[in-house]
PDB file of all heavy atoms in Angstrom:
ATOM      1  N   THR A  81     -30.798  15.409   7.692  1.00 94.00           N
ATOM      2  CA  THR A  81     -29.935  14.205   7.921  1.00 94.00           C
ATOM      3  C   THR A  81     -29.634  13.538   6.578  1.00 94.00           C
ATOM      4  O   THR A  81     -30.536  13.501   5.713  1.00 94.00           O
ATOM      5  CB  THR A  81     -30.637  13.188   8.799  1.00 94.00           C
ATOM      6  OG1 THR A  81     -30.947  13.779  10.046  1.00 94.00           O
ATOM      7  CG2 THR A  81     -29.787  11.973   9.061  1.00 94.00           C
ATOM      8  N   LYS A  82     -28.375  13.169   6.366  1.00 92.00           N
ATOM      9  CA  LYS A  82     -28.008  12.586   5.058  1.00 92.00           C
ATOM     10  C   LYS A  82     -28.730  11.217   4.907  1.00 92.00           C
ATOM     11  O   LYS A  82     -28.857  10.440   5.907  1.00 92.00           O
ATOM     12  CB  LYS A  82     -26.450  12.318   5.044  1.00 92.00           C
ATOM     13  CG  LYS A  82     -25.700  13.563   4.788  1.00 92.00           C
ATOM     14  CD  LYS A  82     -24.203  13.224   4.596  1.00 92.00           C
ATOM     15  CE  LYS A  82     -23.398  14.481   4.320  1.00 92.00           C
ATOM     16  NZ  LYS A  82     -22.011  14.223   4.308  1.00 92.00           N
ATOM     17  N   ARG A  83     -29.131  10.929   3.702  1.00 88.00           N
ATOM     18  CA  ARG A  83     -29.826   9.688   3.458  1.00 88.00           C
ATOM     19  C   ARG A  83     -28.986   8.451   3.790  1.00 88.00           C
ATOM     20  O   ARG A  83     -29.425   7.438   4.174  1.00 88.00           O
ATOM     21  CB  ARG A  83     -30.219   9.622   1.969  1.00 88.00           C
ATOM     22  CG  ARG A  83     -31.307  10.593   1.611  1.00 88.00           C
ATOM     23  CD  ARG A  83     -32.687   9.948   1.733  1.00 88.00           C
ATOM     24  NE  ARG A  83     -32.823   8.832   0.836  1.00 88.00           N
ATOM     25  CZ  ARG A  83     -33.174   8.935  -0.432  1.00 88.00           C
ATOM     26  NH1 ARG A  83     -33.430  10.143  -0.950  1.00 88.00           N
ATOM     27  NH2 ARG A  83     -33.303   7.828  -1.150  1.00 88.00           N
ATOM     28  N   SER A  84     -27.668   8.676   3.682  1.00 88.00           N
ATOM     29  CA  SER A  84     -26.780   7.512   3.958  1.00 88.00           C
ATOM     30  C   SER A  84     -26.827   7.190   5.417  1.00 88.00           C
ATOM     31  O   SER A  84     -26.367   6.099   5.814  1.00 88.00           O
ATOM     32  CB  SER A  84     -25.347   7.839   3.552  1.00 88.00           C
ATOM     33  OG  SER A  84     -24.921   9.065   4.183  1.00 88.00           O
ATOM     34  N   ALA A  85     -27.304   8.073   6.255  1.00 92.00           N
ATOM     35  CA  ALA A  85     -27.371   7.810   7.693  1.00 92.00           C
ATOM     36  C   ALA A  85     -28.685   7.111   8.079  1.00 92.00           C
ATOM     37  O   ALA A  85     -28.836   6.690   9.216  1.00 92.00           O
ATOM     38  CB  ALA A  85     -27.168   9.102   8.476  1.00 92.00           C
ATOM     39  N   PHE A  86     -29.614   7.060   7.125  1.00 94.00           N
ATOM     40  CA  PHE A  86     -30.945   6.492   7.471  1.00 94.00           C
ATOM     41  C   PHE A  86     -30.874   5.033   7.869  1.00 94.00           C
ATOM     42  O   PHE A  86     -31.610   4.570   8.742  1.00 94.00           O
ATOM     43  CB  PHE A  86     -31.880   6.686   6.329  1.00 94.00           C
ATOM     44  CG  PHE A  86     -32.549   8.018   6.220  1.00 94.00           C
ATOM     45  CD1 PHE A  86     -31.938   9.149   6.892  1.00 94.00           C
ATOM     46  CD2 PHE A  86     -33.639   8.242   5.518  1.00 94.00           C
ATOM     47  CE1 PHE A  86     -32.518  10.395   6.790  1.00 94.00           C
ATOM     48  CE2 PHE A  86     -34.288   9.490   5.428  1.00 94.00           C
ATOM     49  CZ  PHE A  86     -33.716  10.595   6.027  1.00 94.00           C
ATOM     50  N   ALA A  87     -29.977   4.257   7.198  1.00 93.00           N
ATOM     51  CA  ALA A  87     -29.901   2.777   7.505  1.00 93.00           C
ATOM     52  C   ALA A  87     -29.564   2.582   8.914  1.00 93.00           C
ATOM     53  O   ALA A  87     -30.260   1.720   9.612  1.00 93.00           O
ATOM     54  CB  ALA A  87     -28.912   2.167   6.598  1.00 93.00           C
ATOM     55  N   ALA A  88     -28.702   3.363   9.492  1.00 94.00           N
ATOM     56  CA  ALA A  88     -28.303   3.231  10.879  1.00 94.00           C
ATOM     57  C   ALA A  88     -29.491   3.606  11.840  1.00 94.00           C
ATOM     58  O   ALA A  88     -29.697   2.979  12.884  1.00 94.00           O
ATOM     59  CB  ALA A  88     -27.140   4.062  11.234  1.00 94.00           C
ATOM     60  N   LEU A  89     -30.209   4.640  11.401  1.00 96.00           N
ATOM     61  CA  LEU A  89     -31.420   5.006  12.216  1.00 96.00           C
ATOM     62  C   LEU A  89     -32.444   3.906  12.175  1.00 96.00           C
ATOM     63  O   LEU A  89     -33.096   3.576  13.191  1.00 96.00           O
ATOM     64  CB  LEU A  89     -32.012   6.370  11.678  1.00 96.00           C
ATOM     65  CG  LEU A  89     -31.150   7.578  11.789  1.00 96.00           C
ATOM     66  CD1 LEU A  89     -31.859   8.807  11.206  1.00 96.00           C
ATOM     67  CD2 LEU A  89     -30.778   7.871  13.236  1.00 96.00           C
ATOM     68  N   ARG A  90     -32.661   3.358  10.976  1.00 96.00           N
ATOM     69  CA  ARG A  90     -33.709   2.285  10.855  1.00 96.00           C
ATOM     70  C   ARG A  90     -33.356   1.091  11.721  1.00 96.00           C
ATOM     71  O   ARG A  90     -34.216   0.389  12.169  1.00 96.00           O
ATOM     72  CB  ARG A  90     -33.833   1.886   9.405  1.00 96.00           C
ATOM     73  CG  ARG A  90     -34.440   2.926   8.538  1.00 96.00           C
ATOM     74  CD  ARG A  90     -34.631   2.394   7.077  1.00 96.00           C
ATOM     75  NE  ARG A  90     -35.367   3.380   6.263  1.00 96.00           N
ATOM     76  CZ  ARG A  90     -34.818   3.995   5.239  1.00 96.00           C
ATOM     77  NH1 ARG A  90     -33.563   3.759   4.878  1.00 96.00           N
ATOM     78  NH2 ARG A  90     -35.528   4.855   4.527  1.00 96.00           N
ATOM     79  N   ARG A  91     -32.119   0.762  11.825  1.00 95.00           N
ATOM     80  CA  ARG A  91     -31.673  -0.371  12.618  1.00 95.00           C
ATOM     81  C   ARG A  91     -32.026  -0.186  14.144  1.00 95.00           C
ATOM     82  O   ARG A  91     -31.985  -1.145  14.840  1.00 95.00           O
ATOM     83  CB  ARG A  91     -30.226  -0.738  12.450  1.00 95.00           C
ATOM     84  CG  ARG A  91     -29.883  -1.393  11.110  1.00 95.00           C
ATOM     85  CD  ARG A  91     -28.545  -2.098  11.074  1.00 95.00           C
ATOM     86  NE  ARG A  91     -27.452  -1.141  11.253  1.00 95.00           N
ATOM     87  CZ  ARG A  91     -26.941  -0.406  10.257  1.00 95.00           C
ATOM     88  NH1 ARG A  91     -27.443  -0.534   8.992  1.00 95.00           N
ATOM     89  NH2 ARG A  91     -25.941   0.395  10.442  1.00 95.00           N
ATOM     90  N   ARG A  92     -32.232   1.064  14.507  1.00 96.00           N
ATOM     91  CA  ARG A  92     -32.584   1.305  15.924  1.00 96.00           C
ATOM     92  C   ARG A  92     -34.116   1.192  16.153  1.00 96.00           C
ATOM     93  O   ARG A  92     -34.591   1.400  17.287  1.00 96.00           O
ATOM     94  CB  ARG A  92     -32.085   2.723  16.331  1.00 96.00           C
ATOM     95  CG  ARG A  92     -30.586   2.868  16.271  1.00 96.00           C
ATOM     96  CD  ARG A  92     -30.135   4.291  16.516  1.00 96.00           C
ATOM     97  NE  ARG A  92     -30.446   4.722  17.892  1.00 96.00           N
ATOM     98  CZ  ARG A  92     -30.189   5.904  18.350  1.00 96.00           C
ATOM     99  NH1 ARG A  92     -29.640   6.848  17.558  1.00 96.00           N
ATOM    100  NH2 ARG A  92     -30.478   6.214  19.592  1.00 96.00           N
ATOM    101  N   ILE A  93     -34.820   0.880  15.072  1.00 96.00           N
ATOM    102  CA  ILE A  93     -36.296   0.785  15.205  1.00 96.00           C
ATOM    103  C   ILE A  93     -36.736  -0.588  14.893  1.00 96.00           C
ATOM    104  O   ILE A  93     -36.323  -1.246  13.935  1.00 96.00           O
ATOM    105  CB  ILE A  93     -36.914   1.730  14.152  1.00 96.00           C
ATOM    106  CG1 ILE A  93     -36.415   3.197  14.288  1.00 96.00           C
ATOM    107  CG2 ILE A  93     -38.474   1.714  14.289  1.00 96.00           C
ATOM    108  CD1 ILE A  93     -36.852   4.086  13.174  1.00 96.00           C
ATOM    109  N   GLY A  94     -37.577  -1.121  15.756  1.00 96.00           N
ATOM    110  CA  GLY A  94     -38.206  -2.444  15.531  1.00 96.00           C
ATOM    111  C   GLY A  94     -39.603  -2.194  15.097  1.00 96.00           C
ATOM    112  O   GLY A  94     -40.326  -1.372  15.708  1.00 96.00           O
ATOM    113  N   VAL A  95     -40.035  -2.885  14.001  1.00 95.00           N
ATOM    114  CA  VAL A  95     -41.390  -2.628  13.459  1.00 95.00           C
ATOM    115  C   VAL A  95     -42.160  -3.922  13.395  1.00 95.00           C
ATOM    116  O   VAL A  95     -41.664  -4.931  12.855  1.00 95.00           O
ATOM    117  CB  VAL A  95     -41.327  -2.003  12.100  1.00 95.00           C
ATOM    118  CG1 VAL A  95     -42.723  -1.644  11.635  1.00 95.00           C
ATOM    119  CG2 VAL A  95     -40.435  -0.751  12.091  1.00 95.00           C
ATOM    120  N   VAL A  96     -43.389  -3.930  13.966  1.00 94.00           N
ATOM    121  CA  VAL A  96     -44.281  -5.086  13.705  1.00 94.00           C
ATOM    122  C   VAL A  96     -45.278  -4.586  12.716  1.00 94.00           C
ATOM    123  O   VAL A  96     -46.116  -3.756  12.926  1.00 94.00           O
ATOM    124  CB  VAL A  96     -45.084  -5.466  15.035  1.00 94.00           C
ATOM    125  CG1 VAL A  96     -45.911  -6.659  14.759  1.00 94.00           C
ATOM    126  CG2 VAL A  96     -44.066  -5.784  16.102  1.00 94.00           C
ATOM    127  N   PHE A  97     -45.143  -5.141  11.464  1.00 92.00           N
ATOM    128  CA  PHE A  97     -46.058  -4.666  10.434  1.00 92.00           C
ATOM    129  C   PHE A  97     -47.389  -5.346  10.525  1.00 92.00           C
ATOM    130  O   PHE A  97     -47.490  -6.503  10.922  1.00 92.00           O
ATOM    131  CB  PHE A  97     -45.489  -5.026   9.059  1.00 92.00           C
ATOM    132  CG  PHE A  97     -44.130  -4.329   8.770  1.00 92.00           C
ATOM    133  CD1 PHE A  97     -42.927  -5.046   8.997  1.00 92.00           C
ATOM    134  CD2 PHE A  97     -44.083  -3.053   8.313  1.00 92.00           C
ATOM    135  CE1 PHE A  97     -41.723  -4.401   8.726  1.00 92.00           C
ATOM    136  CE2 PHE A  97     -42.854  -2.459   8.050  1.00 92.00           C
ATOM    137  CZ  PHE A  97     -41.650  -3.118   8.267  1.00 92.00           C
ATOM    138  N   GLN A  98     -48.465  -4.643  10.126  1.00 87.00           N
ATOM    139  CA  GLN A  98     -49.809  -5.223  10.269  1.00 87.00           C
ATOM    140  C   GLN A  98     -49.888  -6.476   9.381  1.00 87.00           C
ATOM    141  O   GLN A  98     -50.581  -7.467   9.732  1.00 87.00           O
ATOM    142  CB  GLN A  98     -50.796  -4.166   9.747  1.00 87.00           C
ATOM    143  CG  GLN A  98     -52.243  -4.583  10.113  1.00 87.00           C
ATOM    144  CD  GLN A  98     -53.230  -3.457   9.868  1.00 87.00           C
ATOM    145  OE1 GLN A  98     -52.969  -2.420   9.243  1.00 87.00           O
ATOM    146  NE2 GLN A  98     -54.401  -3.573  10.408  1.00 87.00           N
ATOM    147  N   ASP A  99     -49.236  -6.459   8.248  1.00 88.00           N
ATOM    148  CA  ASP A  99     -49.275  -7.680   7.360  1.00 88.00           C
ATOM    149  C   ASP A  99     -48.004  -8.551   7.549  1.00 88.00           C
ATOM    150  O   ASP A  99     -47.634  -9.290   6.644  1.00 88.00           O
ATOM    151  CB  ASP A  99     -49.386  -7.229   5.907  1.00 88.00           C
ATOM    152  CG  ASP A  99     -48.302  -6.256   5.418  1.00 88.00           C
ATOM    153  OD1 ASP A  99     -47.546  -5.815   6.272  1.00 88.00           O
ATOM    154  OD2 ASP A  99     -48.234  -5.920   4.248  1.00 88.00           O
ATOM    155  N   PHE A 100     -47.373  -8.364   8.648  1.00 91.00           N
ATOM    156  CA  PHE A 100     -46.174  -9.183   9.115  1.00 91.00           C
ATOM    157  C   PHE A 100     -44.940  -8.960   8.276  1.00 91.00           C
ATOM    158  O   PHE A 100     -43.855  -8.856   8.830  1.00 91.00           O
ATOM    159  CB  PHE A 100     -46.521 -10.689   9.188  1.00 91.00           C
ATOM    160  CG  PHE A 100     -47.849 -11.005   9.738  1.00 91.00           C
ATOM    161  CD1 PHE A 100     -48.646 -12.038   9.207  1.00 91.00           C
ATOM    162  CD2 PHE A 100     -48.382 -10.253  10.822  1.00 91.00           C
ATOM    163  CE1 PHE A 100     -49.892 -12.289   9.750  1.00 91.00           C
ATOM    164  CE2 PHE A 100     -49.666 -10.573  11.351  1.00 91.00           C
ATOM    165  CZ  PHE A 100     -50.373 -11.605  10.808  1.00 91.00           C
ATOM    166  N   ARG A 101     -45.060  -9.048   6.939  1.00 94.00           N
ATOM    167  CA  ARG A 101     -43.936  -8.906   6.047  1.00 94.00           C
ATOM    168  C   ARG A 101     -42.774  -9.885   6.389  1.00 94.00           C
ATOM    169  O   ARG A 101     -41.654  -9.415   6.515  1.00 94.00           O
ATOM    170  CB  ARG A 101     -43.511  -7.479   5.941  1.00 94.00           C
ATOM    171  CG  ARG A 101     -44.538  -6.550   5.374  1.00 94.00           C
ATOM    172  CD  ARG A 101     -44.060  -5.119   5.213  1.00 94.00           C
ATOM    173  NE  ARG A 101     -43.078  -4.995   4.230  1.00 94.00           N
ATOM    174  CZ  ARG A 101     -42.478  -3.802   3.928  1.00 94.00           C
ATOM    175  NH1 ARG A 101     -42.861  -2.747   4.558  1.00 94.00           N
ATOM    176  NH2 ARG A 101     -41.582  -3.758   2.961  1.00 94.00           N
ATOM    177  N   LEU A 102     -43.086 -11.135   6.517  1.00 96.00           N
ATOM    178  CA  LEU A 102     -42.036 -12.132   6.773  1.00 96.00           C
ATOM    179  C   LEU A 102     -41.505 -12.555   5.422  1.00 96.00           C
ATOM    180  O   LEU A 102     -42.220 -12.515   4.403  1.00 96.00           O
ATOM    181  CB  LEU A 102     -42.698 -13.343   7.508  1.00 96.00           C
ATOM    182  CG  LEU A 102     -43.257 -12.997   8.922  1.00 96.00           C
ATOM    183  CD1 LEU A 102     -43.899 -14.272   9.492  1.00 96.00           C
ATOM    184  CD2 LEU A 102     -42.191 -12.464   9.826  1.00 96.00           C
ATOM    185  N   LEU A 103     -40.347 -13.070   5.398  1.00 94.00           N
ATOM    186  CA  LEU A 103     -39.714 -13.626   4.186  1.00 94.00           C
ATOM    187  C   LEU A 103     -40.077 -15.078   4.073  1.00 94.00           C
ATOM    188  O   LEU A 103     -39.648 -15.878   4.855  1.00 94.00           O
ATOM    189  CB  LEU A 103     -38.216 -13.392   4.196  1.00 94.00           C
ATOM    190  CG  LEU A 103     -37.676 -11.974   4.255  1.00 94.00           C
ATOM    191  CD1 LEU A 103     -36.203 -11.912   4.121  1.00 94.00           C
ATOM    192  CD2 LEU A 103     -38.372 -11.117   3.188  1.00 94.00           C
ATOM    193  N   ASP A 104     -40.920 -15.377   3.059  1.00 93.00           N
ATOM    194  CA  ASP A 104     -41.473 -16.698   2.987  1.00 93.00           C
ATOM    195  C   ASP A 104     -40.432 -17.831   2.757  1.00 93.00           C
ATOM    196  O   ASP A 104     -40.719 -18.992   3.067  1.00 93.00           O
ATOM    197  CB  ASP A 104     -42.503 -16.750   1.821  1.00 93.00           C
ATOM    198  CG  ASP A 104     -43.805 -16.065   2.264  1.00 93.00           C
ATOM    199  OD1 ASP A 104     -43.988 -15.782   3.434  1.00 93.00           O
ATOM    200  OD2 ASP A 104     -44.615 -15.802   1.338  1.00 93.00           O
ATOM    201  N   HIS A 105     -39.317 -17.505   2.171  1.00 92.00           N
ATOM    202  CA  HIS A 105     -38.307 -18.522   1.912  1.00 92.00           C
ATOM    203  C   HIS A 105     -37.371 -18.790   3.055  1.00 92.00           C
ATOM    204  O   HIS A 105     -36.557 -19.719   2.929  1.00 92.00           O
ATOM    205  CB  HIS A 105     -37.549 -18.166   0.578  1.00 92.00           C
ATOM    206  CG  HIS A 105     -36.659 -16.982   0.838  1.00 92.00           C
ATOM    207  ND1 HIS A 105     -37.150 -15.671   0.889  1.00 92.00           N
ATOM    208  CD2 HIS A 105     -35.300 -16.816   0.973  1.00 92.00           C
ATOM    209  CE1 HIS A 105     -36.142 -14.842   1.078  1.00 92.00           C
ATOM    210  NE2 HIS A 105     -35.014 -15.528   1.145  1.00 92.00           N
ATOM    211  N   LEU A 106     -37.504 -17.992   4.062  1.00 94.00           N
ATOM    212  CA  LEU A 106     -36.659 -18.214   5.270  1.00 94.00           C
ATOM    213  C   LEU A 106     -37.470 -18.893   6.393  1.00 94.00           C
ATOM    214  O   LEU A 106     -38.704 -18.664   6.511  1.00 94.00           O
ATOM    215  CB  LEU A 106     -36.123 -16.835   5.774  1.00 94.00           C
ATOM    216  CG  LEU A 106     -35.134 -16.160   4.880  1.00 94.00           C
ATOM    217  CD1 LEU A 106     -34.633 -14.853   5.608  1.00 94.00           C
ATOM    218  CD2 LEU A 106     -33.948 -17.003   4.603  1.00 94.00           C
ATOM    219  N   SER A 107     -36.815 -19.628   7.207  1.00 95.00           N
ATOM    220  CA  SER A 107     -37.448 -20.261   8.395  1.00 95.00           C
ATOM    221  C   SER A 107     -37.818 -19.225   9.397  1.00 95.00           C
ATOM    222  O   SER A 107     -37.397 -18.038   9.336  1.00 95.00           O
ATOM    223  CB  SER A 107     -36.499 -21.280   9.001  1.00 95.00           C
ATOM    224  OG  SER A 107     -35.456 -20.591   9.569  1.00 95.00           O
ATOM    225  N   ALA A 108     -38.688 -19.604  10.308  1.00 96.00           N
ATOM    226  CA  ALA A 108     -39.016 -18.692  11.434  1.00 96.00           C
ATOM    227  C   ALA A 108     -37.806 -18.225  12.109  1.00 96.00           C
ATOM    228  O   ALA A 108     -37.636 -17.054  12.454  1.00 96.00           O
ATOM    229  CB  ALA A 108     -39.994 -19.408  12.412  1.00 96.00           C
ATOM    230  N   PHE A 109     -36.815 -19.105  12.351  1.00 96.00           N
ATOM    231  CA  PHE A 109     -35.579 -18.741  12.989  1.00 96.00           C
ATOM    232  C   PHE A 109     -34.839 -17.699  12.195  1.00 96.00           C
ATOM    233  O   PHE A 109     -34.415 -16.667  12.764  1.00 96.00           O
ATOM    234  CB  PHE A 109     -34.678 -20.039  13.115  1.00 96.00           C
ATOM    235  CG  PHE A 109     -33.328 -19.743  13.716  1.00 96.00           C
ATOM    236  CD1 PHE A 109     -33.098 -19.869  15.046  1.00 96.00           C
ATOM    237  CD2 PHE A 109     -32.262 -19.311  12.867  1.00 96.00           C
ATOM    238  CE1 PHE A 109     -31.830 -19.542  15.592  1.00 96.00           C
ATOM    239  CE2 PHE A 109     -31.020 -19.037  13.404  1.00 96.00           C
ATOM    240  CZ  PHE A 109     -30.847 -19.155  14.773  1.00 96.00           C
ATOM    241  N   ASP A 110     -34.705 -17.893  10.890  1.00 95.00           N
ATOM    242  CA  ASP A 110     -33.967 -16.933  10.089  1.00 95.00           C
ATOM    243  C   ASP A 110     -34.660 -15.582   9.969  1.00 95.00           C
ATOM    244  O   ASP A 110     -34.051 -14.563   9.891  1.00 95.00           O
ATOM    245  CB  ASP A 110     -33.706 -17.493   8.712  1.00 95.00           C
ATOM    246  CG  ASP A 110     -32.491 -18.478   8.663  1.00 95.00           C
ATOM    247  OD1 ASP A 110     -31.551 -18.237   9.447  1.00 95.00           O
ATOM    248  OD2 ASP A 110     -32.512 -19.440   7.899  1.00 95.00           O
ATOM    249  N   ASN A 111     -35.999 -15.632   9.987  1.00 96.00           N
ATOM    250  CA  ASN A 111     -36.795 -14.353   9.944  1.00 96.00           C
ATOM    251  C   ASN A 111     -36.539 -13.575  11.201  1.00 96.00           C
ATOM    252  O   ASN A 111     -36.281 -12.363  11.147  1.00 96.00           O
ATOM    253  CB  ASN A 111     -38.248 -14.653   9.804  1.00 96.00           C
ATOM    254  CG  ASN A 111     -38.711 -14.643   8.359  1.00 96.00           C
ATOM    255  OD1 ASN A 111     -38.771 -13.630   7.734  1.00 96.00           O
ATOM    256  ND2 ASN A 111     -38.968 -15.816   7.805  1.00 96.00           N
ATOM    257  N   VAL A 112     -36.522 -14.268  12.359  1.00 97.00           N
ATOM    258  CA  VAL A 112     -36.337 -13.557  13.591  1.00 97.00           C
ATOM    259  C   VAL A 112     -34.900 -13.072  13.744  1.00 97.00           C
ATOM    260  O   VAL A 112     -34.604 -11.978  14.281  1.00 97.00           O
ATOM    261  CB  VAL A 112     -36.665 -14.524  14.785  1.00 97.00           C
ATOM    262  CG1 VAL A 112     -36.309 -13.831  16.099  1.00 97.00           C
ATOM    263  CG2 VAL A 112     -38.163 -14.851  14.773  1.00 97.00           C
TER     264      VAL A 112
END
Side-chain angles (χ1 to χ4, degrees):
Chain A
T81 301
K82 283 186 179 174
R83 290 270 297 279
S84 57
F86 277 20
L89 296 179
R90 289 184 177 115
R91 284 196 297 278
R92 297 174 65 182
I93 306 171
V95 184
V96 182
F97 299 97
Q98 192 170 14
D99 54 355
F100 317 142
R101 297 182 67 180
L102 300 175
L103 299 185
D104 286 347
H105 66 287
L106 293 182
S107 66
F109 176 93
D110 279 327
N111 267 288
V112 173

